[in-house]
Amino acid sequence: MHVRQVPAMNLRNAFGLNLQRLRRKRGLSQEQLAHLAGCARAYLSGAEAGRRNATLDMVEALATVLEVEPADLLKHPAAGRETR
């Protein structure tokens, strides 16, 4: 019998899930967060879906707007919550 292994969550997907969770927790739309962070809504949508790679500058900008540490956006979603 062959057991199918589930791939581990990659950093891009973890980032997207954290980004979406924190954005919703703050009551922001993608459009609002994109405007505040200085990026396009389509970019933000792709990042949340795990289809786009965020630059370190963008991770920093998003963390600043969301009032969390950049590391909070990169943690495995089950690892915990933001530090502030």
Side-chain angles (χ1 to χ4, degrees):
M1 182 167 124
H2 178 69
V3 177
R4 192 177 121 189
Q5 293 183 347
V6 177
M9 178 174 289
N10 66 36
L11 188 57
R12 191 171 55 228
N13 289 331
F15 173 79
L17 290 173
N18 288 326
L19 180 58
Q20 184 180 72
R21 175 180 55 82
L22 292 165
R23 175 182 60 77
R24 288 179 175 172
K25 183 177 179 179
R26 301 294 183 286
L28 295 171
S29 68
Q30 285 182 345
E31 185 77 28
Q32 291 168 320
L33 180 56
H35 174 74
L36 293 169
C39 67
R41 190 210 52 82
Y43 175 89
L44 193 63
S45 175
E48 284 188 2
R51 293 187 312 265
R52 305 227 14 147
N53 289 317
T55 65
L56 291 175
D57 289 338
M58 186 51 57
V59 171
E60 183 177 39
L62 291 166
T64 298
V65 171
L66 294 170
E67 299 179 332
V68 298
E69 294 297 322
D72 293 326
L73 289 168
L74 302 173
K75 291 178 184 173
H76 190 286
R81 304 291 178 228
E82 64 271 16
T83 58
R84 289 188 192 174

